[in-house]
Amino acid sequence: MSLSGNIVGKIRPALLVLLGAVGLVLLIACANVANLTLARAAGRRREIAVRTALGAERARIVRQLLTESTLLALIGGALGLLVAWGALQLLLAIAASILPRTDEIGLEAPVLVFTTMLALLTGIGVGIMPALQASRVDLRPDLSDGAGKSSGGAARQRSLNVLAAAEIALSLVLLVGAGLMIRSFVALLDTGTGFRSDHVLVFHASAPSGVTVADSLRYMQFYGPVLARLRATPGVRSAGIISTLPIQDGATDRYFTIVGRPVDSTSGHRPDAQMRVVSGGYFRALGIPVLAGRDVDARDVAASEHIAIVNDELVRQYFPGEAPIGKQIDMGTGPLTIVGVVKSVRQIGLDQRALAEFYLPATQERYNTNAMAFVVATSGPPETLVRAAREAVHSVAPRQPMYQIETMDDVIATSLASRRLLLTLLGTFASLALALSMAGVYGVMTYGVSQRTREIGIRMALGARALDVTTMVLLGAAKTTAVGIAFGLLGATVLVGALRVMLYGVGAHDPLTFVVAPAIIAIVALAAGAVPAIRAARIDPLGAMRAE
């Protein structure tokens, strides 16, 4: 793959999902503004009729209304850029260690041009339907005193209901996506790592290179003495080293053969497993149980029989139904005798299954120990031993640096950082979409009540109760909501496939999410419609008929 693909490839799906979420929020906002513009145009029917009577052509009126909506969109785009500038500083502070190339992210010329063009297109898109409807006038009724108040807005009300239903549908798609990500994140947090991460300090250090420490003496002259000093430090329960920490998205695999078995060199059939180099004390420091055989110990030196410790996943794959202790594997450098079996851990990430793995003693390795991770199990807060760890390293190699000093809990949290960021942003967009949809339903219902004031007054004068009027208005909101939910579920069923690669422990069509999300939408939408419904029930019949 390309270098660029390697750097951004893993974050690309998340960014594309966020781009889609932003697009959905923009569409919801457009539908909301279109609703408001339609309702506003209804109140301007007499003004537009006067312009038409004085000779204004329909195209001229459409241009005027589009100019107004485009101007509003440009003002909104300018305000949006100001908000984006502040939000971007916050986002970069949070995501500096998550997103690649954050130093190149900013409100530069291409972003400004894109925003300007998007604002123009939004203004035209939002204003075109209200402009066309408002410019279609009938002079006699529109020039009367009741223009804008009469019941001639049935078609307009249907348009408003369609837009409100569209808002609900788009909000539901976002809410389903956010719900799936929440369920996936909870499943990840519940996933067992295979080791204990609490009270564990980790840091990295490299053995001094060149003539200071030879390859064959790295452990004897650097790692071993540092570990001895760490183990003698008060508050340290155990300490060890490993070539690549688990849950750090690091993989070093090797093909190998099993001594005594025929070699199958066919692609895809050769035994393959992750390789790690460890010292004694590593498994104890992370609480990884030894299931059979023994750990690395003082017997494993360069001159002794070379050994390997394997995990139970390797045993399951390559030694099913037989005891692996005493068997030999060879990765091309000579036979390694299996002396122990340990529990499998998640090497690459919580969302990746445990892989077959073998561990080689650092005391017997020459070429795979240049940089190692120290793992120190403590009896108290691990942060309190950072100074002691630094002194242990510098007592052996005064000029040798330490880096990536953190707790094992931090390592796991960092591995989830990109998912947490995606979940936070997607949840924010879903909440914003829900609020916009609620405002849209409220606006549509309020407009509908204002247009039906006379009708509601007559109904109440003829004996309709307040409960009957409330129910009538709420039924209208319920119909719009039901249509929106139906189309939203259809859209969510199709679009959530884009989230499939980011989900863990939950299916893209998780039944619970597809039940809870519509329920939330329905409750919020009906709550938004309840205010105009209650207001309609309080209309004074005599005052309503006089107003007409």
Side-chain angles (χ1 to χ4, degrees), residues 42-43 45 145-152 450-454 547-548:
R45 294 194 65 79
D145 288 338
K149 304 179 192 175
S150 65
S151 59
S450 69
Q451 291 296 297
R452 300 175 67 183
T453 300
R454 181 180 176 85
E548 289 291 333

Side-chain angles (χ1 to χ4, degrees), residues 75 94 107 113 171 184 251 265 358 388 391 512:
I75 294 172
I94 296 173
L107 297 182
V113 171
S171 299
S184 180
S265 59
F358 58 86
E391 290 174 351
L512 180 62

Side-chain angles (χ1 to χ4, degrees), residues 136-160:
R136 190 183 301 119
V137 297
D138 186 348
L139 292 180
R140 180 176 294 178
D142 288 344
L143 285 172
S144 68
D145 288 338
K149 304 179 192 175
S150 65
S151 59
R156 193 179 309 114
Q157 183 65 44
R158 284 194 295 271
S159 299
L160 293 173

Side-chain angles (χ1 to χ4, degrees), residues 24-42 65-66 68-77 119 121-131 159-160 163-164 166-167 170 435-437 439-441 443-444:
L24 289 178
V25 172
L26 178 61
L27 288 175
I28 293 168
C30 287
N32 221 330
V33 175
N35 260 335
L36 295 172
T37 308
L38 274 171
R40 181 169 174 265
L65 296 176
L66 282 180
E68 292 175 3
S69 65
T70 303
L71 183 60
L72 284 173
L74 287 174
I75 294 172
L121 291 174
T122 299
I124 295 171
V126 165
I128 189 67
M129 185 169 69
S159 299
L160 293 173
L163 289 171
E167 287 185 63
L170 294 172
L436 288 172
S437 298
V441 172
V444 168

